Amino acid sequence: MHTTIVDPIASALGAWSVSLNIYSVLFRLFSSLVMSAVLGCERSSKRHSAGFRTFILVTLSGTVVMMLDIYIASTFGTSFFFLSAAAILAASRIATRTLFFSSRNQIMGLTTSVALWASCIIGLALGAGFYTITVVSFAVLLFCLSYLPVLEFYLKNRSNHFEIHLELKNSLNLQNFVTTIRKLGLRIDAIEMNPAYANSGLSVYSIAISISSAELKKYKTHKEIIEALRTLEYVYHIEEI
């Protein structure tokens, strides 16, 4: 039994938007350009490596290859969309290239990487003429990129686990720092010396910390804890990562 799915936006636009013709092709390409430009602007405004042009190219490519697959399938009777599958793989490969490790051992660009892959999927949906799915997916993706970071920051700041980037004036001060951490009701889960600062004259560490004190869990945020540690005379610099 086959179920026919009616796209509300396609129904509102008319029969021309459902089939492949010069008008539907131009409409899909223009819509793809606008949506990807909005996503690209959002990423560029936050100074991410993959921005305006990258999002446009990835999304447009997804839209074009889906329309090509539909044309090839209708012309030659094929049942597998090879170009669309290749586009997803290519988008995944491009997305992984936006990932990099910072000098503080952080994985950077993960959200942008996933967003690039998602924008390719949105382009494929638009190329297939699934306008409603495309618009809803675009709105959800834009919401996640623009507004969820605030919630993510709040939850992260209240977590019992966090990592810090620590710069000490002397390696001999590490023992004093560890002692202070324990007195505050914190537990050190891991300490890693950062080799990127080997010749800087500083002792630099990436430290994973857990809040073990019930009082700290209830009243203190990561920011407040770090501000307290920043007052130690032998700490050159400290921040959450």
Side-chain angles (χ1 to χ4, degrees):
M1 180 178 179
H2 297 283
T3 302
T4 302
I5 300 176
V6 179
D7 188 302
I9 294 179
S11 299
L13 291 173
W16 65 270
S17 65
V18 178
S19 60
L20 275 184
N21 53 70
I22 186 62
Y23 302 108
S24 66
V25 169
L26 291 176
F27 178 74
R28 294 175 192 182
L29 289 175
F30 177 75
S31 300
S32 179
L33 175 64
V34 171
M35 292 182 187
S36 58
V38 172
L39 294 173
C41 283
E42 195 282 335
R43 292 286 86 187
S44 293
S45 67
K46 297 177 180 177
R47 301 183 65 82
H48 291 282
S49 55
F52 189 72
R53 291 177 297 173
T54 307
F55 272 86
I56 288 177
L57 290 173
V58 169
T59 310
L60 274 177
S61 298
T63 303
V64 170
V65 297
M66 177 55 80
M67 291 190 293
L68 284 174
D69 267 338
I70 292 173
Y71 175 77
I72 293 171
S74 62
T75 303
F76 301 101
T78 60
S79 58
F80 186 77
F81 286 9
F82 294 97
L83 294 177
S84 299
I88 294 175
L89 293 175
S92 301
R93 185 68 180 271
I94 293 170
T96 57
R97 294 299 180 93
T98 66
L99 298 173
F100 64 94
F101 283 90
S102 71
S103 61
R104 298 174 183 179
N105 291 329
Q106 291 176 275
I107 300 178
M108 306 294 291
L110 185 58
T111 300
T112 300
S113 175
V114 176
L116 268 177
W117 176 80
S119 71
C120 179
I121 303 299
I122 290 175
L124 292 172
L126 181 57
F130 295 135
Y131 302 111
T132 301
I133 293 176
T134 300
V135 171
V136 172
S137 300
F138 164 75
V140 171
L141 179 57
L142 184 60
F143 174 80
C144 291
L145 294 175
S146 301
Y147 298 105
L148 287 189
V150 177
L151 175 60
E152 185 178 28
F153 176 79
Y154 174 81
L155 294 175
K156 182 179 179 181
N157 202 33
R158 294 289 177 176
S159 169
N160 291 331
H161 308 278
F162 63 102
E163 293 184 41
I164 60 171
H165 169 83
L166 175 68
E167 299 176 11
L168 298 176
K169 296 177 181 178
N170 192 302
S171 61
L172 299 177
N173 298 134
L174 180 60
Q175 184 176 353
N176 294 332
F177 182 81
V178 171
T179 301
T180 302
I181 282 285
R182 290 170 177 168
K183 287 181 179 179
L184 288 173
L186 303 172
R187 184 180 73 248
I188 294 179
D189 298 321
I191 299 180
E192 181 180 355
M193 179 174 281
N194 196 320
Y197 297 81
N199 299 317
S200 66
L202 297 171
S203 295
V204 183
Y205 306 89
S206 297
I207 304 179
I209 296 175
S210 293
I211 302 175
S212 53
S213 167
E215 184 179 353
L216 282 179
K217 289 179 181 179
K218 189 175 181 180
Y219 297 109
K220 298 294 184 181
T221 64
H222 300 175
K223 182 179 179 181
E224 292 170 319
I225 294 172
I226 291 173
E227 285 298 325
L229 294 173
R230 186 173 284 124
T231 61
L232 299 173
E233 61 178 9
Y234 48 79
V235 172
Y236 183 78
H237 180 73
I238 183 173
E239 66 179 64
E240 186 173 3
I241 58 177

